[in-house]
Every structure is written in C-alpha cells, then in structure tokens.
Amino acid sequence: MFGIYWDCDGTLMDTEKAFAYAWQEILKSKNLDLPIEHFDQYVGVDDRIVHEKYSSEVNLPPFQETMNLISEIILKNFGEKTLFDDALQCLEYFYNHDWKQACVSASPQNHLENKLKETAIYQYFHLVVGGDTVDRNKPHPDIYIDSINKLKTTKNIIIEDSPFGIESGVGSGAFVIAIDRGVFTHDQLSSAYLIVDKITPEIILEVSESL
C-alpha cells in the first residue's frame, strides 16, 4: 500500500518567511532586533529548540504561550493563497485516487491542525502528526517511522524541503523527494533521493513504480 508523507511549512505552504517575521516581531518587542535572514538557520528546526535558544537571550513567555503568539501573527494573513499550487494539485490527485496521505511536521500538533484547516486541506489527510507528539522531533526519524507504522503503508514517499526534514525522512527508510523552494542550495538538499523544482503527480507516480 502506497503512502505519501508531506512536510508542511515550505513544502505544502509558503510559510517559512511568515514564521521568521513572527519570531522577528516577538523578539523585537523584547528589544532583540535581528535581520530577517538570521532566521533562515532555523527552517525545519523543532520550535522547542528555537524557543529554548531565544529564551536564553530574552525573557520569553513559556513555550506554548509563545507558539500561540506566533500562530496569531501568522494567521492574520493566512488563507488558501498560502498554499503552493503544485502541492495542492498533488494532494487533490492522490486523494481522488485513494492513496493514503499524511502531514508530518515539526510544528506543534494544534498549530499544524489549525494551518491545515485554515487552508482547507485538512480533509486530504488520513493522519496529521505534529512535532510535539514525539520525544525526538526532526531531524530524528521517529516522527516519520511512527507515522508510517500508524498508516501501515509499505511503499512510502516523503516530500520535504529542508535539510533537517530530509535527514528525518531518509532515516525512516522511505524514499525522500526534496522540493527546491529557493531557500536552500542543492548541496544542502543533496541527501534526498530526488530533488525537483516543482512536484507533480507524474513525478510521484514515476517514483512509486520503482518502490
């Protein structure tokens, strides 16, 4: 049985910069003014790690309260326009062809579910898994291994956009496709088995034939 396991931020949705601007706004309110490029290093990183890092520099609220603030900032301008068209096309295609699909993200579970519902794609997934549901988030493979075990799929494709996500996916034993969204270099994405500029149903079907 085939399974497609989608990362969320940067893969399904153009939200990487939105997170960066949200963190920038919160930190600026604490008198820590950082350039937006500074936050590129945290793309795909567990939010708990990011929160811990900045909590050592400024007086941040507890983790959950901080994530609620970030979510509020992002959702101000959230909507269907946030989705990448190529990913949406694939979601719809494989949903209509009865493939199992999951969304597996480093983001906390409740924030992940909110994003999927706000963009009206929650219904495409058989399983939604956030990073706070496992002891070891990406780049460890646990989150993908657990998701694959829950869906009981045997031929698995993971779609990612960041080095940490790719590392997590490769460690799970699945076939990993990296989408180059222009945030990372090809060298940084090179651990994936395939790098594409755009994801299509044809690409996923071709990969599935080799599994």
Side-chain angles (χ1 to χ4, degrees), residues 10-25:
T11 301
L12 292 173
M13 303 180 191
D14 188 10
T15 48
E16 301 290 20
K17 283 298 182 186
F19 271 100
Y21 282 116
W23 268 112
Q24 185 186 50
E25 181 176 328

Side-chain angles (χ1 to χ4, degrees), residues 16-28 32-45 50 53-54 70 183-184:
E16 301 290 20
K17 283 298 182 186
F19 271 100
Y21 282 116
W23 268 112
Q24 185 186 50
E25 181 176 328
I26 288 172
L27 293 174
K28 191 172 183 178
L32 180 59
D33 195 359
L34 298 170
I36 198 64
E37 296 79 15
H38 170 85
F39 300 93
D40 288 347
Q41 63 188 302
Y42 297 114
V43 173
V45 176
V50 182
K53 195 272 181 191
Y54 290 124
I70 286 176
V183 177
F184 298 100

Side-chain angles (χ1 to χ4, degrees), residues 5-210:
Y5 296 80
W6 296 88
D7 172 53
C8 183
D9 299 304
T11 301
L12 292 173
M13 303 180 191
D14 188 10
T15 48
E16 301 290 20
K17 283 298 182 186
F19 271 100
Y21 282 116
W23 268 112
Q24 185 186 50
E25 181 176 328
I26 288 172
L27 293 174
K28 191 172 183 178
S29 72
K30 302 293 183 180
N31 298 314
L32 180 59
D33 195 359
L34 298 170
I36 198 64
E37 296 79 15
H38 170 85
F39 300 93
D40 288 347
Q41 63 188 302
Y42 297 114
V43 173
V45 176
D46 187 340
D47 291 312
R48 290 172 290 192
I49 294 174
V50 182
H51 180 267
E52 183 179 356
K53 195 272 181 191
Y54 290 124
S55 290
S56 69
E57 300 182 34
V58 298
N59 184 26
L60 285 177
F63 173 72
Q64 194 57 58
E65 187 177 339
T66 300
M67 294 313 301
N68 288 341
L69 290 171
I70 286 176
S71 183
E72 288 174 11
I73 294 169
I74 291 173
L75 291 176
K76 286 178 187 175
N77 298 311
F78 218 57
E80 292 183 15
K81 67 181 184 303
T82 308
L83 292 170
F84 285 113
D85 290 338
D86 59 342
L88 179 58
Q89 179 188 12
C90 290
L91 284 176
E92 292 174 341
Y93 178 90
F94 290 104
Y95 176 80
N96 290 329
H97 286 78
D98 296 322
W99 283 41
K100 287 193 173 182
Q101 298 187 94
C103 186
V104 183
S105 171
S107 297
Q109 182 76 23
N110 64 323
H111 298 293
L112 175 60
E113 291 182 2
N114 286 340
K115 286 184 286 189
L116 298 178
K117 291 172 182 176
E118 285 288 334
T119 50
I121 60 172
Y122 187 87
Q123 72 275 10
Y124 292 124
F125 299 106
H126 292 82
L127 179 69
V128 174
V129 182
D132 58 346
T133 65
V134 292
D135 291 332
R136 301 191 308 168
N137 203 344
K138 302 177 185 181
H140 299 287
D142 307 38
I143 193 167
Y144 279 120
I145 292 172
D146 289 355
S147 299
I148 289 168
N149 288 339
K150 285 176 181 176
L151 282 190
K152 303 185 187 307
T153 51
T154 54
K155 297 182 178 181
N156 304 302
I157 298 170
I158 289 171
I159 304 175
E160 275 280 358
D161 76 303
S162 71
F164 272 16
I166 292 167
E167 183 179 344
S168 176
V170 169
S172 75
F175 189 101
V176 180
I177 301 174
I179 308 178
D180 182 359
R181 297 296 193 194
V183 177
F184 298 100
T185 66
H186 268 229
D187 281 346
Q188 291 173 305
L189 303 176
S190 62
S191 294
Y193 300 120
L194 177 66
I195 303 173
V196 299
D197 294 326
K198 180 180 180 181
I199 194 69
T200 65
E202 291 76 18
I203 288 172
I204 295 174
L205 288 169
E206 184 175 349
V207 167
S208 72
E209 291 173 1
S210 69

